Each structure stands twice: as structure tokens, then as C-alpha cells.
């Protein structure tokens, strides 16, 4: 063991949190949402502030750089580096105190912005700056980057609302910085402590007239609120004692935007504001060109809106390819070259309409815009979600040419935008490059991303050249190279251009004053390496394409499918925010269990950075192992990363190299096992699976948790029941019913209820002979068998099913496998047939909703009785269907009222929750929302779930027998 390892063991023994030095942790934390990638020494997760102190003292003793990290959504590489990553987001996430009277809150750095504002809503307050990453970004990161947001016209930046910052200085001394009076400032400077030395050092630096003169001359224009270049000395020079009649001195102005380079924060006190007026209107101005949008922005600003945001055509076109965001395009009229989103918040709707109409008339008078739809109520959130998805959807561009963060965060005065953008366009034309334009046009900050191929050295060089020339143009307009995303690794190199060499040397002095040993986030803001080094873009060095079973042509390969992950961290939402992605992260709050972590591992594996040995494969497999294959990332991730598909393909490769484990064979082959047991042994099987001794054997030798009850077999298969019945014709036409492997053996009662229900509704039900969808084989990576099943099913079903006679199924996971995976699994010759089959395949709920809409279902056939229903939607329904259809169908009986349980994944996810190593996490996920909701309503509502795994999880977690929608509706028939 070398000296460095001894040192880390010393740290491990002194903290309550975890220290990870393994390769997996280092890879996962090697990137953020930026263009950079560098493996850290390790990752430490402190449990409390005292852990932070020990970490700082350790770093000071051994000269190790600490990289403070919250959600890791930084766009300029602030949390990438070769030091020790300190993930403060997992445990330091408490809201410590709310003072409603004085409108402030005290929090730890890991508190998520949206969760904070949910908590504050009952007080009538909120934290004003609102980033596009608000559902996962954390307050510590917002302070570090001085984040702003769409409504910065009203609320400014995080700096404007930061009252106090408490934390540890580079020598381990605890300090609290806040606003201080004149006499306090002099007292602080005389204090015999490191804190006193810091105050004295800043005093000496800013007392110098030449320094103050250089700051006022060279820093970005004071009218630009979004200025985040370097250290904010330009704010301090206007405070006492450097300006006699200046404002109150507060070191927090300097610390905000310092990117964790000056101290390690443990607590933050924030000023709050009243909730905005409830009446809002969002005017969606459709424009013919970007240039028109830049001029229209000035007209809009004159009408005093709360926000003005831009989306260009390139962004809008990419939202069409995202399942979730395509639904948010409901307001789009035609094919605009640019959209201005202008929000007005007033006390009454009449005032909102008045302001909106005044602006629309002013725009029309200038000849700007061709359509002006105004959106109200809940639809406003949908439009803002479309705008917020801008960064993520950029990854949907196929191939290696992608819009990259290089110009990305420039800010100038809004009046200068037309001339500024003209110069940027001219500069890009010189290099033959295009650019996308979006974001905060109302405050003069646009996110401009030129399209480059960062796997080619020519474009890597161009990456640097464009950044350099952009800095020169921004300086010409006395703008800020960063409006809100910070300098990080991306812009630090160009700070001398932006503020002059004299002021850059002042920045170095500031760093030395606070951190003389350079232990806090080294090489950020000062001494930054060249911005086109340590990039994350790599060529595939491992030929996995020749062995793949899925079709990866839509992403131009499997590696590019993983590279679609931008690191934006949308997979880090908690259950408090809602949605389904990512259930394992929601249950654990651990970065290793995010979709982003899995994508990072796969990218490095394909690039050859992780060896293709058993050890290397096992490292990747260990991270993929906690993916529940819920498919939520395919919809909720703005980049549409389909981790379910990636995981299945990787497991297929793993099995090809190292064989298939017994448990995987048994679970994948469960339909075969059930078929063999069903005729003669179902009763014996059902009895035996209840024996504790057998459960213990299963756990020991197969890996099935002894705390689980295996699904029982029905007494007779659905297939056999169907053969014994007499089918009926129907005046409403015929449907084919897919008898899947779960309904056929375990949930026969659901199949029977479906047949009888459809027949009573007037349909001829053609029950197909029992089929295996392949869901179990796909989930375990046995893709050769899945391909055979998919080919067989497509060949046989595509000649039967058509627009007149649809294919309908009861089990969402089976039905939606046909609609989703089959298209990429079948042989090329069958691909068109698979698409045709997919177009005519419906879940039972989708089919009934379609028939209801067409007036083919007589609601008078159902009871008049009143019932309350709480339903949980299967993950595949949430990702690939529309869960509101379930509500519509369950409310066919006129007095039935159905409400969706706002849960994500139930936690069972097929076999996941049965496996002994996953049982605890599975139940943790269930306990987030689903189980408590079921327990609360079990006595006053029917509990309903279409998924067989979901019903099983509900029974294991709450003791409640959940019904299938088919059962509920059949029992509701008169």
C-alpha cells in the first residue's frame, strides 16, 4: 500500500460519510453537463458539516484539490477535475429554518430548488431565481454559479438574494459571511484569525485606487444584470469602505459565482419573495426570422413582462422527436423560424389580457410576428417545459456533429443583441458553421451552440478558435462571456481578454487570499487549462456493433445512443417532483443509480477506457444492474436516452462472453416453466411456494428474495378456458386479443374479464393462441430468443391485424413491447410489418378510450352506482402511452370517479423486486408514493393497476389486492 492510500484510509476513518476510490465511482463522477471529462482521485459523500471540516483539513494536509459538487448540472465543467469530488447533495439537503415574517430561509447546499419552493408555497413565498434545471439543481450549485433563470427580469440572480453563507475556509476554520456595518468591517479586518486575514486582504486589494479604476473600466457593463465573469469585484467596489456612500458590505457578493474556489459552503441563508400574482398569460410570438425576434424582443421589453425567452427553429424541430415534448407543442402555429415566449403576471386576468394585447398591437404595428396565441393556466407550464428541454433535445441530432457549448452563455445589453448576433453569425460563416439560438433573450443572454464534430481534431481546434473570437466580440460590446453558467473549464482561459490582464491578476490575488494552498476547486477561474483539453468526446474503440441484436441505425450506433446523454441530470428528479425517471435514484438519491451514471459507464466502455475483461464487464454491469428497465428515460429524458434498450444489448454481449447465470435463464424462461407446470402441477406448485424452507432455498441457490411470494399459477390456462368457451359475434366488429405469457398462466381472471367485457360491449373477441411476447427474455438480455419470438409474432400477427381488426392486450409490458422493441428487434425484412403491427396494437385502455371517443360504447350498460378509484399506471404506459386514457376508461360508468396515484415506478419492475439484492430498494421505491397512497385510500376507494408486477408489488407492500381495469369495468356492467 502506498502513502496516498494510507492517507485516504486516514480520511475514511475520520468521517461518517463514504469515501469511494473505485474505478466505477471515478468514471461516474468524471463528467457533468459540460464538454469535459476527467477522472477524479475519488468521491467522498459527507454526512454533515463536521465531515466537511475533516475533508478540508485532510485536503490541506496533503495538498489535494477538493471539487465541491451538488447535482452536477454545471455546463462549463465546474465540477470536473483531477481532485477529490465532494458530493454534498446526497445528505446535506435539509431545509433548516424558515422565517416567514422576515422572508428568509436557511438551507443546506443540497436542497433542490423546486423542492424548496414546494415547501415555501404554504408560506406564500418562494426563491425567485428559477433555472431551467430547477427540478434537480441544488442551492449550493446555484450559489456557486450565481444562477439566474427565465424570470431574471424580475428576480435577478442568486447573488441578489444571498444573505449569508456559512462554511469552512481553506485552513478548516468555520466562518459565516453576511452583511456587516461599517464598524464591523474594520473589526473583522483586525480579527486575529484566517477570516480576519481574508477581510484585511480584500480591504487592501480594493482600497488601491488603481485597482478600483481598472475594475470600473474593464468589467462588463453595469446594466447587464447577467454578468458572471471571474470574481465579482465590480460589486464590492461600490460598497463601503471603498465607496463612502456605498452599500452595506457583504462578502457573499464575491462568494456567489466563485464556483467553490474560495470556501466550502455548508449553510446558505436566502432572501425570499412573495409568490407571483396567480393570474398569468404567456404570449407565444411566432416570427419569420431570428433577426425579427431580436427586434421584437425590444418591443416586448417595453411592455414590462416578467420573462422573455427565445426558441429557434432548430430547437423546435428537435422537440418533435421527443415523445413528451412533442405534446407540449400544442400551441405552435405553422413552422416559425423563431418563437418569443413573453409572460405577463398581473393581479387580474383583465390586466394580463390588457398587457398582452398592448404588446401584440405594438408588435403588429412594427410588422413583427404572424401568430400570437396566448396560453393560460396549466398550459403555461407545458410551454415552459418545452423551453426548458432545449439543452437536452440538442442531443437528438444524429451522428457526431452536435451543437456544443462554446459561445453558449454570452450576455450583452438587449439593445446590443441585433448587432452582436450579426457579428457572431458573420464569424461562424467564416468557418462554415451553423448555430442554434435559444434562452434568455429578454436579459440579453442567448445560449448559442455551433454545430461541431468534437471527435475530429480540426473541429476541436475550431472549438478553441470560436471561443477566442467570441470573447473578442463580447468584449467589444462590454458584455459578459458568462451570463449565468460560469467560467469553469470552458471560459477561464479567456478571462484576461474579458477584464484585462490587470484585473485577472487581482483575481489571482483573491484566490491566494482565500485559498493560499489552492485546495478548493483548482484550475477554475484562474490558472485554467486550455478549454479544448480533457474533452468527453471519444471514438468507439470497441467493435460491439457486429454482435448487436437491436437495430441502432436511428442513432448511428450503440455508442452514439449512450452519448445522447448530455449529463443534464434530468434523471435526478426526486419523487417530490413527480414523473418516473429514475426510480432507483428516487429510492436511493445516489448518483451511481442515475441514467446519467449508466450512460457514462457505457460511453467509457465503448471508448475502450474500461477493459473488455471480466472485471471491466462486471464494472459496467454493476451500474446497469440497478436500472429497472422502466422506459421512463425514453420519454422523460429530453435526449431520449433509452437505457432499457442499452442495458438489454449490453447484457446480451455479457452473456455471449461469460455465459448466462441460472437465475437469468429461469426468469427469462418463466413462460416455458409455467407451461410445463400448468397441466398437472399448478396446485402442488402453489402450495410449495408458500413453504418457508423453499423460500430460503430459492434465496440461497437462485437469488429470489425469501421475503417475496412468487406469483401463483391459475388452475387452468387462459388458452384452455378460451378453447372451451363459445365465441360470439359482435355488431361493433372484431378485435384480436393477445393472450400474453402473464395472463395465460398467472392472471387468467383478467383475461376472462376482458373477453366477457368486450363481448358485452358488442365486440367479437378473437383470442389468439397463447403467445410469448419476449418481455422476460429482453429484460434479461437473452436477445437471440427475443428476436426469434419477435420475428415469429410479427410474421403471424401482421397478416391478421389491420386498421379494422386491431390487436388488443391486457398486460402493458407485453403489449407495449410489441409496439416499441419489436420494431428494432425483428429482421430487416420484417421491419415494415413490425411497424404496421405496432400501429394497430393497443392496450385495453387505449382501445376502450378510442371506442368511447367514436361513440361505440354505451355507458348505459354500466351501473349507476358511485365508486371512487385510485389507479397506478404501469411504467410502460407512462412512457409509451397516455395515462389519462386509463382515467377516461375507468370513468365510463357515469358515477365512477378515478384519480391517478402520482407515483413513479412501483418498484417491482418485472423480476427486479424479486431478486434478493434488489428487494430493499424495490420496497423503498414503493414506499415513496405508491404504498402510502394505497394505505390511505384502501378503505374508501378501489385500487387498480393494469400491470401484473404492479399488482403484485401493491399486495406485497400493503396487503391490498389491486384489480385490473378490465375487472372493474366487467363488474360494473348491469
Amino acid at each position: 500500500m502506498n502513502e496516498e492510500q494510507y492517507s485516504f484510509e486516514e480520511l475514511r476513518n475520520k468521517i461518517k460519510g463514504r469515501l469511494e476510490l473505485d474505478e466505477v465511482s471515478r468514471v461516474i463522477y468524471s463528467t457533468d453537463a459540460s464538454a469535459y471529462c476527467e477522472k477524479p482521485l475519488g468521491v467522498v459523500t459527507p454526512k454533515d458539516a463536521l465531515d466537511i471540516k475533516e475533508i478540508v483539513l485532510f485536503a490541506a494536509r496533503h495538498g489535494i484539490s477538493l471539487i465541491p459538487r451538488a447535482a452536477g448540472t454545471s455546463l462549463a465543467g465546474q465540477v470536473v477535475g483531477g481532485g477529490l469530488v465532494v458530493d454534498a447533495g446526497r445528505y446535506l439537503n435539509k431545509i433548516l429554518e424558515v422565517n416567514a415574517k422576515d422572508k428568509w430561509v436557511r438551507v443546506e447546499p443540497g436542497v433542490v430548488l423546486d423542492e424548496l419552493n414546494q415547501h415555501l408555497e404554504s408560506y406564500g413565498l418562494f426563491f425567485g431565481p428559477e433555472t431551467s434545471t430547477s427540478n434537480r439543481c441544488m442551492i449550493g450549485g446555484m450559489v456557486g454559479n450565481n444562477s439566474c433563470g427565465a424570470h431574471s427580469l424580475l428576480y435577478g440572480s442568486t447573488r441578489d438574494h444571498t444573505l449569508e453563507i456559512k462554511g469552512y475556509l481553506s485552513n478548516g476554520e468555520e466562518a459565516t459571511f453576511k452583511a456587516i456595518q461599517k464598524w464591523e468591517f474594520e473589526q473583522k479586518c483586525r480579527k486575529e484569525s484566517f477570516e480576519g486575514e481574508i477581510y484585511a486582504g480584500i480591504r487592501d486589494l480594493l482600497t488601491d485606487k488603481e485597482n478600483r479604476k481598472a475594475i470600473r473600466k474593464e468589467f462588463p457593463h453595469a446594466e447587464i444584470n447577467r454578468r458572471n465573469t471571474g470574481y465579482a469585484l465590480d460589486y464590492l467596489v461600490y460598497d463601503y469602505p471603498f465607496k463612502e456612500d456605498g452599500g452595506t458590505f457583504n462578502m457573499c457578493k464575491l462568494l456567489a459565482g466563485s464556483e467553490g474556489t474560495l470556501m466550502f459552503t455548508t449553510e446558505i441563508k436566502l432572501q425570499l419573495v412573495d409568490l407571483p400574482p396567480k393570474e398569468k398569460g404567456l404570449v407565444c410570438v411566432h416570427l419569420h426570422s431570428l433577426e425579427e425576434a431580436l427586434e421584437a424582443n425590444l418591443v416586448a421589453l417595453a411592455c414590462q413582462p416578467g420573462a422573455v425567452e427565445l426558441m429557434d427553429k432548430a430547437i423546435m424541430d428537435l422537440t418533435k422527436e421527443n415523445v413528451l415534448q412533442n405534446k407540449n407543442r400544442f400551441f405552435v402555429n405553422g413552422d416559425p423560424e423563431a418563437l418569443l415566449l413573453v409572460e405577463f403576471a398581473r393581479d387580474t386576468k383583465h390586466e394580463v389580457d390588457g398587457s398582452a394585447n398592448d404588446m401584440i398591437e405594438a408588435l403588429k404595428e412594427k410588422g413583427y410576428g404572424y401568430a400570437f396565441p396566448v396560453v393560460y393556466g396549466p398550459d403555461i407550464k407545458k410551454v415552459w417545459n418545452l423551453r426548458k428541454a432545449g439543452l437536452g433535445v440538442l442531443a437528438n441530432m444524429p451522428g457526431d456533429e452536435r451543437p456544443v457549448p462554446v459561445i453558449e452563455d454570452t450576455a450583452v445589453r438587449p439593445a446590443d443583441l441585433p448587432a452582436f448576433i450579426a457579428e457572431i453569425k458573420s464569424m461562424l460563416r467564416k468557418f462554415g458553421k451553423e448555430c442554434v439560438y435559444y434562452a434568455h433573450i429578454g436579459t440579453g443572454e442567448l445560449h448559442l451552440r455551433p454545430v461541431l464534430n468534437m471527435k475530429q481534431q480540426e473541429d476541436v481546434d475550431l472549438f478553441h478558435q470560436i471561443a477566442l473570437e467570441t470573447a473578442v466580440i463580447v468584449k467589444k460590446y462590454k458584455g459578459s462571456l458568462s451570463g449565468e453558467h460560469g467560467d469553469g473549464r470552458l471560459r477561464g482561459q479567456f478571462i484576461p481578454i474579458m477584464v484585462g490582464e490587470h484585473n485577472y491578476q487581482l483575481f489571482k490575488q483573491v484566490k491566494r487570499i482565500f485559498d493560499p494552498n489552492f485546495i478548493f476547486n483548482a484550475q477554475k477561474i484562474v490558472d485554467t487549462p486550455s478549454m479544448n483539453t480533457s474533452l468527453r468526446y471519444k471514438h468507439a474503440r470497441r467493435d460491439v456493433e457486429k454482435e448487436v441484436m437491436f437495430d441502432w441505425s436511428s442513432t448511428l450506433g450503440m455508442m452514439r445512443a449512450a452519448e445522447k446523454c448530455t449529463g443534464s441530470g434530468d434523471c435526478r428528479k426526486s419523487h417530490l417532483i413527480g414523473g418516473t425517471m429514475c426510480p432507483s435514484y428516487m429510492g436511493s438519491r445516489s448518483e451511481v443509480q442515475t441514467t446519467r451514471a449508466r450512460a457514462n459507464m457505457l460511453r467509457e466502455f465503448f471508448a475502450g477506457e474500461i477493459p473488455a475483461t471480466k472485471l471491466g464487464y462486471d464494472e459496467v454491469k454493476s451500474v446497469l444492474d440497478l436500472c429497472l428497465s422502466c422506459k421512463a428515460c425514453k420519454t422523460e429524458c429530453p435526449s431520449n436516452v433509452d437505457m432499457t434498450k442499452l442495458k438489454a444489448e449490453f447484457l446480451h454481449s455479457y452473456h455471449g462472453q461469460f455465459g448466462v447465470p441460472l437465475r437469468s435463464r429461469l426468469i427469462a424462461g418463466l413462460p416455458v416453466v409455467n407451461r410445463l407446470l400448468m397441466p398437472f402441477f399448478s396446485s402442488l406448485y402453489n402450495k410449495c411456494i408458500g413453504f418457508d424452507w423453499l423460500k430460503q432455498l430459492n434465496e440461497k441457490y437462485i437469488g429470489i428474495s425469501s421475503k417475496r411470494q412468487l406469483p401463483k399459477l391459475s388452475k387452468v390456462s387462459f388458452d384452455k378456458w378460451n378453447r372451451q368457451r363459445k365465441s360470439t359475434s359482435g355488431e361493433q366488429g372484431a378485435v384480436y386479443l393477445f393472450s400474453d405469457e402473464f395472463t395465460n398462466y398467472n392472471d387468467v381472471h383478467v383475461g376472462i374479464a376482458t373477453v366477457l367485457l368486450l363481448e358485452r360491449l358488442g365486440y367479437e373477441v378473437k383470442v389468439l393462441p397463447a403467445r410469448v411476447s419476449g418481455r422476460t427474455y429482453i429484460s434479461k438480455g437473452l436477445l437471440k430468443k427475443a428476436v426469434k419470438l419477435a420475428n415469429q409474432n410479427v410474421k403471424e400477427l401482421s397478416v391478421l391485424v389491420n386498421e379494422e381488426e386491431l390487436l388488443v392486450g391486457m398486460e402493458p409490458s407485453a403489449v407495449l413491447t410489441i409496439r416499441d422493441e419489436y420494431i428494432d428487434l425483428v429482421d430487416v425484412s420484417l421491419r415494415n410489418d413490425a411497424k404496421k403491427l405496432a400501429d394497430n396494437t393497443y392496450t385495453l385502455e387505449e382501445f376502450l378510450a378510442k371506442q368511447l371517443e367514436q361513440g361505440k360504447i354505451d355507458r348505459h350498460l354500466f351501473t349507476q352506482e358511485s365508486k371512487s378509484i385510485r389507479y397506478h399506471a404501469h411504467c410502460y404506459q407512462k412512457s409509451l402511452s397516455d395515462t389519462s386514457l386509463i382515467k377516461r376508461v375507468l370513468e365510463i360508468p357515469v358515477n365512477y370517479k378515478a384519480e391517478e396515484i402520482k407515483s413513479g415506478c412501483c418498484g417491482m419492475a418485472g423480476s427486479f423486486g424479486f431478486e434478493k439484492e434488489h428487494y430493499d430498494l424495490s420496497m423503498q421505491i414503493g414506499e415513496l408514493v405508491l404504498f402510502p397512497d394505497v394505505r390511505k385510500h384502501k378503505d374508501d376507494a378501489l385500487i387498480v393497476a393494469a400491470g401484473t408486477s404492479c399488482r403484485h408489488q401493491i399486495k406485497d407492500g400493503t396487503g391490498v389486492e389491486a384489480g385490473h381495469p378490465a375487472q372493474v369495468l366487467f363488474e360494473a356492467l348491469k
Side-chain angles (χ1 to χ4, degrees):
M1 182 177 288
N2 60 38
E3 184 179 348
E4 185 176 274
Q5 289 173 312
Y6 277 117
S7 298
F8 278 122
E9 195 61 34
E10 168 199 337
L11 177 61
R12 183 177 277 120
N13 292 333
K14 287 193 173 185
I15 62 173
K16 298 177 282 296
R18 294 178 63 85
L19 173 63
E20 307 289 353
L21 304 173
D22 59 283
E23 187 70 9
V24 170
S25 298
R26 294 176 65 220
V27 168
I28 287 170
Y29 281 85
S30 65
T31 65
D32 51 10
S34 73
Y36 298 97
C37 178
E38 186 175 353
K39 284 184 190 176
L41 294 172
V43 181
V44 60
T45 335
K47 280 283 184 73
D48 55 25
L50 291 178
D51 273 2
I52 296 290
K53 179 177 182 178
E54 291 295 341
I55 293 166
V56 171
L57 288 171
F58 171 80
R61 282 195 299 272
H62 299 285
I64 292 172
S65 173
L66 299 178
I67 305 169
R69 178 167 172 145
T73 59
S74 300
L75 287 162
Q78 285 92 327
V79 296
V80 173
L84 185 65
V85 170
V86 186
D87 186 346
R90 186 170 183 185
Y91 297 115
L92 293 171
N93 53 20
K94 292 180 285 297
I95 299 172
L96 301 171
E97 184 180 3
V98 177
N99 186 318
K101 179 183 175 184
D102 294 331
K103 299 181 182 179
W104 57 257
V105 64
R106 192 164 52 87
V107 301
E108 291 182 321
V111 170
V112 172
L113 176 57
D114 276 357
E115 293 179 22
L116 172 63
N117 282 335
Q118 282 182 5
H119 182 82
L120 294 172
E121 189 172 5
S122 62
Y123 297 93
L125 301 169
F126 80 116
F127 182 62
E130 175 199 9
T131 67
S132 61
T133 56
S134 59
N135 62 7
R136 69 267 190 199
C137 78
M138 297 174 178
I139 299 300
M142 292 185 70
V143 171
N145 288 342
N146 187 35
S147 301
C148 298
H151 293 86
S152 62
L153 280 171
L154 297 175
Y155 304 118
S157 68
T158 300
R159 176 183 290 122
D160 301 324
H161 301 264
T162 303
L163 300 176
E164 295 181 14
I165 296 176
K166 181 179 180 180
Y168 290 97
L169 303 175
S170 60
N171 70 340
E173 179 183 318
E174 190 173 43
T176 299
F177 294 102
K178 60 183 179 179
I180 54 176
Q181 301 299 317
K182 296 179 181 180
W183 62 271
E184 289 178 294
F185 182 89
E186 298 303 329
Q187 188 179 67
K188 289 279 189 184
C189 292
R190 292 193 297 270
K191 191 175 179 181
E192 293 185 2
S193 66
F194 188 34
E195 180 188 358
E197 292 176 18
I198 288 171
Y199 273 98
I202 295 298
R203 178 196 59 191
D204 294 345
L205 186 148
L206 293 181
T207 300
D208 187 300
K209 291 183 180 180
E210 291 303 314
N211 289 345
R212 296 202 305 273
K213 181 179 178 182
I215 290 167
R216 290 175 179 137
K217 177 184 177 184
E218 297 287 352
F219 268 64
H221 204 294
E223 289 180 20
I224 301 171
N225 293 324
R226 289 171 171 267
R227 55 190 201 274
N228 214 25
T229 297
Y231 294 123
L233 295 175
D234 55 331
Y235 281 84
L236 295 186
V237 294
Y238 292 100
D239 290 339
Y240 179 86
F242 314 113
K243 190 171 185 293
E244 190 59 37
D245 57 347
T248 304
F249 185 90
N250 190 339
M251 198 75 80
C252 293
K253 296 177 184 178
L254 182 68
L255 295 173
S258 64
E259 301 180 3
T261 61
L262 302 182
M263 70 179 293
F264 204 113
T265 301
T266 57
E267 290 183 20
I268 304 158
K269 183 177 177 182
L270 301 169
Q271 187 72 62
L272 306 174
V273 294
D274 293 327
L275 287 171
K278 291 188 176 180
E279 294 297 335
K280 293 181 182 178
L282 187 64
V283 186
C284 306
V285 184
H286 293 52
L287 298 136
H288 294 291
S289 68
L290 174 66
E291 287 71 22
E292 188 182 346
L294 298 173
E295 298 292 348
N297 175 51
L298 302 177
V299 177
L301 287 171
C303 299
Q304 298 183 312
V308 187
E309 295 284 293
L310 171 74
M311 292 183 76
D312 75 355
K313 189 176 186 301
I315 296 276
M316 292 297 296
D317 286 348
L318 288 169
T319 62
K320 297 175 184 177
E321 306 304 317
N322 181 284
V323 177
L324 183 63
Q325 297 308 326
N326 194 35
K327 296 176 184 177
N328 292 334
R329 291 173 50 90
F330 64 93
F331 65 95
V332 179
N333 187 331
D335 195 21
E337 287 293 319
L339 280 173
L340 277 188
L341 307 176
V342 188
E343 185 180 271
F344 295 98
R346 303 290 188 262
D347 292 326
T348 66
K349 186 174 183 298
H350 177 73
E351 290 176 285
V352 169
D353 290 341
S355 295
N357 290 333
D358 288 347
M359 185 194 71
I360 291 169
E361 289 304 313
L363 289 169
K364 287 180 177 178
E365 186 177 329
K366 294 277 190 179
Y368 300 146
Y370 69 86
F372 309 88
V374 185
V375 175
Y376 301 95
D379 283 342
I380 291 177
K381 186 176 181 180
K382 296 178 184 177
V383 180
W384 281 132
N385 284 341
L386 185 75
R387 210 310 273 146
K388 287 181 178 183
L391 170 62
V393 297
L394 290 175
N396 287 331
M397 283 189 175
D400 291 330
E401 287 197 338
R402 302 277 180 87
V404 296
V406 51
I407 305 173
E408 201 259 329
D409 197 36
T410 57
V412 298
R413 291 180 296 178
D416 291 330
L417 266 179
F420 170 74
I421 293 298
E423 289 204 44
I424 292 291
K425 277 192 165 187
S426 176
M427 180 263 290
L428 290 174
R429 276 196 301 271
K430 179 176 66 176
F431 299 118
K433 294 299 176 181
E434 298 293 329
C435 190
V436 296
Y437 303 82
Y438 69 105
H440 318 297
I441 190 172
T443 49
E445 179 187 355
L446 286 181
H447 297 332
L448 316 177
R449 292 198 168 208
V451 178
L452 300 173
N453 183 350
M454 297 297 286
K455 294 182 181 180
Q456 293 182 353
Q457 186 59 46
E458 180 183 351
D459 275 12
V460 171
D461 295 339
L462 191 55
F463 182 59
H464 182 279
Q465 188 63 29
I466 288 174
L468 174 61
E469 297 199 19
T470 297
V472 173
I473 297 171
V474 172
K475 179 66 175 177
K476 174 182 175 180
Y477 291 92
K478 210 175 182 187
S480 178
L481 198 56
S482 170
E484 63 175 340
H485 294 162
D487 297 309
R489 297 286 290 268
L490 183 61
R491 284 174 278 268
Q493 180 183 359
F494 305 111
I495 289 177
I497 295 174
M498 303 313 302
V499 298
E501 185 60 38
H502 182 92
N503 288 326
Y504 180 62
Q505 294 304 318
L506 296 184
F507 289 172
K508 287 191 170 186
Q509 286 187 49
V510 170
K511 176 67 172 175
R512 285 193 293 270
I513 288 168
F514 275 87
D515 183 19
N517 295 316
F518 288 78
I519 68 165
F520 288 139
N521 214 5
Q523 298 188 323
K524 311 299 190 307
I525 298 183
V526 298
D527 300 321
T528 309
S530 177
M531 55 82 69
N532 60 349
T533 57
S534 300
L535 298 172
R536 69 188 291 175
Y537 312 99
K538 298 169 185 175
H539 287 284
R541 296 179 186 169
R542 185 161 293 137
D543 187 8
V544 293
E545 303 298 327
K546 63 182 180 182
E547 302 171 351
V548 296
M549 302 304 291
F550 280 107
D551 173 26
W552 296 95
S553 60
S554 63
T555 56
L556 301 183
M558 193 176 172
M559 180 172 182
R560 292 187 183 95
E563 286 179 327
K564 288 176 70 174
C565 174
T566 64
S568 61
D570 297 73
C571 46
R572 287 181 56 100
K573 303 191 311 300
S574 78
H575 68 283
L576 298 173
I577 302 301
T580 303
M581 180 180 71
C582 172
S584 51
Y585 174 78
M586 289 182 180
S588 69
R589 296 293 186 101
S590 173
E591 174 70 23
V592 73
Q593 294 175 24
T594 61
T595 308
R596 175 169 71 181
R598 296 168 195 128
N600 282 344
M601 287 296 290
L602 285 170
R603 187 185 64 247
E604 295 298 290
F605 178 75
F606 296 143
E609 301 294 333
I610 298 173
T613 60
K614 179 70 161 58
L615 179 61
Y617 265 92
D618 283 343
E619 286 178 340
V620 181
K621 184 172 177 286
S622 70
V623 176
L624 293 176
D625 184 55
L626 291 170
C627 168
L628 279 74
S629 298
C630 68
K631 280 283 183 183
C633 49
K634 183 168 183 176
T635 301
E636 292 181 29
C637 171
S639 307
N640 302 134
V641 175
D642 190 344
M643 191 52 63
T644 300
K645 182 178 172 184
L646 283 162
K647 177 183 178 181
E649 192 74 81
F650 177 84
L651 288 177
H652 163 72
S653 177
Y654 183 93
H655 297 328
Q657 295 277 341
F658 311 110
V660 185
L662 174 61
R663 187 176 67 185
S664 295
R665 286 190 185 278
L666 287 174
I667 290 171
L670 194 61
V672 176
V673 175
N674 286 341
R675 187 181 73 237
L676 295 173
L677 290 171
M678 176 61 88
F680 308 109
F681 304 108
S682 59
S683 296
L684 178 62
Y685 168 83
N686 290 341
K687 185 176 181 179
C688 288
I689 61 174
F691 294 151
D692 287 340
W693 61 267
L694 185 60
K695 290 182 179 180
Q696 295 298 330
L697 286 175
N698 274 340
E699 181 167 286
K700 183 175 181 179
Y701 292 107
I702 301 177
I704 301 297
S705 173
S706 59
K707 299 174 184 177
R708 287 289 186 191
Q709 180 66 47
L710 290 170
K712 290 186 176 182
L713 290 171
S714 298
K715 292 181 180 179
V716 62
S717 70
F718 180 53
D719 206 22
K720 184 174 181 180
W721 174 87
N722 179 60
R723 290 196 301 269
Q724 294 173 345
R725 79 183 179 97
K726 183 179 180 181
S727 61
T728 62
S729 60
E731 67 276 9
Q732 299 284 22
V735 296
Y736 286 100
L737 195 65
F738 186 80
S739 175
D740 63 84
E741 56 267 46
F742 310 104
T743 304
N744 192 50
Y745 300 116
N746 307 110
D747 300 319
V748 175
H749 57 290
V750 172
I752 293 171
T754 302
V755 171
L756 299 180
L757 169 68
L758 291 173
E759 288 185 340
R760 281 287 303 277
L761 293 176
Y763 297 92
E764 178 186 356
V765 183
K766 299 179 180 180
V767 181
L768 296 164
R771 291 177 180 273
V772 176
S773 69
R775 179 71 258 149
T776 57
Y777 291 97
I778 295 171
S779 69
K780 290 301 171 187
L782 275 67
L783 296 186
K784 288 184 179 179
K785 178 64 175 178
V787 167
K788 289 180 182 178
L789 290 168
N791 284 338
Q792 179 183 343
N793 285 334
V794 169
K795 283 177 185 176
E796 296 177 7
L797 297 179
S798 62
V799 298
L800 300 174
V801 175
N802 54 57
E803 292 179 359
E804 300 300 321
E805 295 185 343
L806 304 172
L807 180 65
V808 178
M810 292 77 69
E811 170 54 40
S813 65
V815 176
L816 295 173
T817 292
I818 296 172
R819 210 158 77 196
D820 185 58
E821 276 104 338
Y822 273 25
I823 295 172
D824 290 333
L825 265 180
V826 296
D827 295 343
V828 175
S829 60
L830 292 172
R831 200 149 294 153
N832 288 333
D833 289 337
K835 290 176 181 176
K836 174 196 164 192
L837 179 61
D839 289 342
N840 294 307
T841 298
Y842 289 74
T843 65
L844 177 64
E845 297 81 12
E846 291 170 335
F847 173 76
L848 291 175
K850 181 182 177 72
Q851 302 305 298
L852 182 66
E853 186 179 346
Q854 294 174 354
K856 294 182 178 181
I857 294 179
D858 184 358
R859 301 179 76 176
H860 294 97
L861 294 172
F862 294 87
T863 180
Q864 299 290 309
E865 181 185 353
S866 296
K867 274 192 179 172
S868 177
I869 299 171
R870 305 283 296 175
Y871 69 92
H872 166 80
H874 188 280
C875 289
Y876 275 30
Q877 290 176 300
K878 291 169 181 170
S879 178
L880 304 172
S881 182
D882 182 352
T883 61
S884 68
L885 300 179
I886 306 173
K887 174 180 174 68
R888 205 173 305 165
V889 165
L890 289 172
E891 291 182 345
I892 289 176
V894 291
N895 292 316
Y896 278 24
K897 299 300 176 188
E899 291 296 329
E900 182 174 1
I901 299 172
K902 299 302 181 184
S903 50
C905 178
C906 72
M908 183 65 87
S911 67
F912 181 89
F914 285 98
E915 295 161 358
K916 65 177 182 180
E917 68 272 26
H918 299 148
Y919 174 80
D920 289 339
L921 179 59
S922 168
M923 299 307 281
Q924 286 171 14
I925 293 168
E927 288 290 355
L928 294 174
V929 176
L930 180 60
F931 294 169
D933 192 283
V934 170
R935 294 187 192 111
K936 179 180 178 181
H937 295 284
K938 65 180 181 180
D939 296 326
D940 56 31
L942 290 175
I943 305 300
V944 176
T948 184
S949 294
C950 306
R951 295 194 297 275
H952 201 112
Q953 176 79 327
I954 290 169
K955 177 67 184 298
D956 279 4
T958 68
V960 173
E961 294 272 5
H964 189 282
Q967 294 172 275
V968 174
L969 292 176
F970 175 66
E971 291 168 7
L973 288 166
K974 290 180 182 176

